[in-house]
Amino acid sequence: MINVAVFGYGTVGSGVVEVINDNAELISKRVGDDVKVKYILDLRDFPGDKYENLVTHNVEDILGDPEISIICETMGGTKVPYDYTKRALEAGKSVCTSNKEMVAAYGAELIALAAANNCNYLFEASVGGGIPIIRPINECLTAEKIDCIQGILNGTTNYMLTKMENEGAAYDDVLKEAQEKGYAERNPEADVEGFDACRKIAILSSLMYAETVNYEDIYVEGITKITPADFAYAKKMGKTIKLIAMSKETEDGKFAMVSPRMVGSDSPLSAVKDVFNAILVHSNMLDYSMYYGRGAGKLATASAVVGDVIEAAKNLGKHLPLLWDAKKATVADKDALVQQYFVRVSGGDKAAVTAVFGNVEFVECVDGEFAFVTEAMSEADYKVKAAKLSGIIGMIRM
Ligand code: HSE
């Protein structure tokens, strides 16, 4: 019997208990032993809950119990769970988590601690919810050099942008609807400002480079300034607008960025709608591969946590190598990144645009203004040129 404790009986934690119990028979076959939830740690009581007898408020019951070999950390936040995670790993108990803040902030340190104690720190559920992406990068793609990851890593904003695209709706209206449906939080900042996607691309970037990409070094721009007019232009150009979390290695350095982008119908990311997430990986032998599915939600996320529980259960007493060093990766200044730009201009004249930007493609769609698409250039070059033009309303990267 392999005994598991679940830290935090919220949406994901209760999903973990449900998955372990509902799929007990097949999990037992796959592990070669029964896997049972012995404790649930939470500050609250859950009278009437099917598993109320498993609830404890005392973490020492769990950390001091030699029968517990695996812990699912689904508490969220980085204060209390950081202490609990460290103590669990030091006691040789593997930890499986959905907590992206924790992984983004302390991933390398906790992996090293797991290695030193012959156990594992696993975090498949921290990026893309139920979508397999951490293990594919660490195992299936280990023969590859990955040079680019582009992801739609936030379901809330993808839902909102899909609504804006389909209905011509304004940002404020779709935000209200997303809040009513329970997709967006009352304080939606983490999603709409791109901070959630930033933590997730920091994790993927760290795995891509096997060094720590600090989320604070990643440029982040959210979707709050996107308007129905932007979507009208996108439609005219056969494109859509997505919040893209990107990590890319070029001869100019290692870039990581979260921002809205105009995405063409030739990219599979353009077909990712509503709350779905997708991660498009480019690597040197395989070329492109894409990972798609539900990036959030109780059972989708819990499924990924339990997948990690099974991996940990099959490897008790053995650390599974995970290349993510504490050494800080040098993230290049985004001003050096070469890409194209979609630019809207109010009034102004096209001759002035051509004089400054050279060869551009003009787009007309909204009265009283026009837009143009530049050739590829660095952001530094773009800024210098844009400063010479008057009337620029906005810019979206391509
Ligand atoms: N708020 C997140 C999202 C939840 O919308 O994708 C999953 O991390």
Side-chain angles (χ1 to χ4, degrees):
M1 171 77 70
I2 294 170
N3 288 290
V4 174
V6 177
F7 285 5
Y9 200 46
T11 306
V12 180
S14 58
V16 167
V17 178
E18 201 174 318
V19 172
I20 291 179
N21 284 286
D22 290 1
N23 281 351
E25 206 177 305
L26 67 88
I27 291 172
S28 173
K29 272 194 200 134
R30 287 170 190 171
V31 173
D33 199 349
D34 290 343
V35 174
K36 194 189 100 187
V37 178
K38 186 171 176 183
Y39 302 103
I40 295 166
L41 179 74
D42 205 287
L43 291 171
R44 301 162 293 179
D45 286 309
F46 297 89
D49 187 275
K50 196 172 164 190
Y51 304 104
E52 69 173 313
N53 59 324
L54 303 181
V55 175
T56 173
H57 308 306
N58 185 2
V59 73
E60 308 305 333
D61 288 347
I62 301 167
L63 295 176
D65 184 342
E67 282 190 357
I68 292 289
S69 43
I70 301 168
I71 282 161
C72 301
E73 190 271 288
T74 52
M75 296 171 82
T78 53
K79 230 177 158 182
V80 174
Y82 172 65
D83 176 52
Y84 291 176
T85 299
K86 271 176 72 171
R87 290 180 59 202
L89 295 172
E90 278 159 4
K93 301 179 193 303
S94 286
V95 177
C96 307
T97 190
S98 56
N99 186 341
K100 59 191 166 270
E101 291 92 354
M102 178 84 87
V103 181
Y106 301 109
E109 177 192 333
L110 295 171
I111 291 165
L113 194 57
N117 290 283
N118 299 319
C119 57
N120 292 289
Y121 184 60
L122 302 174
F123 44 89
E124 183 61 68
S126 66
V127 180
I131 305 172
I133 184 62
I134 306 292
R135 202 163 295 122
I137 288 178
N138 278 329
E139 294 182 16
C140 316
L141 299 179
T142 40
E144 298 279 331
K145 171 154 175 58
I146 296 173
D147 55 31
C148 186
I149 296 177
Q150 291 168 276
I152 294 173
L153 298 178
N154 183 268
T156 305
T157 46
N158 203 46
Y159 171 83
M160 291 172 64
L161 292 174
T162 304
K163 278 249 153 203
M164 289 179 80
E165 178 188 23
N166 291 346
E167 297 168 16
Y171 171 83
D172 288 336
D173 296 333
V174 292
L175 173 59
K176 204 162 154 247
E177 195 181 328
Q179 285 170 319
E180 279 162 10
K181 289 207 157 158
Y183 294 143
E185 308 277 340
R186 194 173 300 198
N187 175 358
E189 201 181 63
D191 292 318
V192 299
E193 297 290 0
F195 305 145
D196 173 80
C198 174
R199 298 298 192 284
K200 293 168 178 167
I201 196 68
I203 296 169
L204 296 182
S205 306
S206 299
L207 295 172
M208 175 175 164
Y209 300 129
E211 291 179 348
T212 298
V213 173
N214 193 334
Y215 64 87
E216 284 154 340
D217 292 340
I218 296 177
Y219 174 80
V220 187
E221 195 179 300
I223 64 161
T224 55
K225 295 195 188 86
I226 301 296
T227 66
D230 293 323
F231 272 105
Y233 278 109
K235 192 170 178 187
K236 183 131 197 208
M237 295 187 293
K239 297 183 190 296
T240 187
I241 302 167
K242 296 288 183 191
L243 183 67
I244 301 292
M246 183 271 286
S247 200
K248 187 177 190 177
E249 186 166 16
T250 75
E251 55 194 21
D252 298 317
K254 294 168 179 167
F255 296 91
M257 186 194 281
V258 177
S259 69
R261 284 184 183 270
M262 289 274 180
V263 178
S265 53
D266 53 336
S267 166
L269 291 174
S270 69
V272 178
K273 307 284 184 190
D274 301 315
V275 293
F276 284 86
N277 283 196
I279 303 113
L280 182 64
V281 177
H282 185 264
S283 54
N284 64 342
M285 298 293 155
L286 170 64
D287 199 9
Y288 284 103
S289 56
M290 188 155 107
Y291 308 84
Y292 169 87
R294 290 194 180 275
K298 176 178 170 170
L299 291 178
T301 310
S303 165
V305 176
V306 179
D308 281 347
V309 168
I310 294 172
E311 186 74 346
K314 284 159 70 178
N315 292 282
L316 289 180
K318 181 179 161 202
H319 177 70
L320 302 164
L322 197 56
L323 291 185
W324 177 349
D325 200 84
K327 182 170 175 277
K328 214 172 153 224
T330 306
V331 177
D333 188 325
K334 77 165 184 25
D335 279 1
L337 183 64
V338 174
Q339 63 212 320
Q340 288 180 278
Y341 306 84
F342 163 81
V343 188
R344 278 172 63 195
V345 185
S346 170
D349 72 290
K350 291 179 180 171
V353 171
T354 310
V356 173
F357 278 93
N359 195 19
V360 299
E361 186 193 323
F362 288 106
V363 195
E364 309 229 20
C365 183
V366 176
D367 288 346
E369 61 171 85
F370 63 86
F372 62 95
V373 175
T374 70
E375 292 191 320
M377 66 186 75
S378 71
E379 286 221 20
D381 283 350
Y382 167 76
K383 280 194 220 165
V384 170
K385 290 181 197 293
K388 292 180 188 161
L389 276 186
S390 58
I392 291 185
I393 307 170
M395 175 274 275
I396 299 175
R397 296 169 184 84
M398 309 281 285

